[in-house]
Amino acid sequence: KKNKLFDMTLPAKLQSYMVCNTPIIAAAGGESARVVKEAHCGFVCEQNADELAACIRDKVLTTCDLATMRINARRYFDDYFSMNLIIGELEDMMKDNC
């Protein structure tokens, strides 16, 4: 569902899919769409049933790049969302504010 708040956030399930090497079909906008596109780990379409069906029919079912998308998903997760990276960033922020 379209919502400006949802466009500014990244659902945890997106990161879960990425860590599991899962290609993503995102009927989404905002940060979710940006991450999927930037990571080259899936497909993004408008948030309606017709666009989602067209995306599956025209892109997902005709691609041979699913193996590459799996690798890209995990690589992006490791580069931007890994626990060690996030903990390090939080520690740095805490040091800066103390």
Side-chain angles (χ1 to χ4, degrees):
K1 187 173 180 179
K2 287 186 179 186
N3 183 312
K4 287 185 181 186
L5 179 62
F6 295 148
D7 282 349
M8 296 185 300
T9 61
L10 193 65
K13 64 184 170 185
L14 183 64
Q15 295 171 48
S16 297
Y17 299 151
M18 295 176 90
V19 78
C20 292
N21 303 331
T22 304
I24 297 164
I25 303 170
E31 281 299 296
S32 295
R34 183 191 65 77
V35 167
V36 172
K37 289 176 185 176
E38 188 174 287
H40 303 287
C41 66
F43 306 95
V44 176
C45 67
E46 292 295 319
Q47 297 166 306
N48 68 60
D50 292 334
E51 289 292 325
L52 180 58
C55 179
I56 293 168
R57 181 186 62 244
D58 300 337
K59 294 179 182 175
V60 177
L61 296 178
T62 61
T63 188
C64 296
D65 292 338
L66 295 179
T68 301
M69 288 178 190
R70 291 178 192 281
I71 293 166
N72 292 345
R74 182 55 190 251
R75 183 176 294 138
Y76 193 92
F77 177 87
D78 290 342
D79 289 347
Y80 294 98
F81 301 126
S82 70
M83 185 181 304
N84 290 337
L85 178 70
I86 300 300
I87 296 293
E89 288 179 6
L90 286 172
E91 288 174 343
D92 290 344
M93 282 189 265
M94 291 169 64
K95 287 176 190 173
D96 291 343
N97 290 321
C98 290

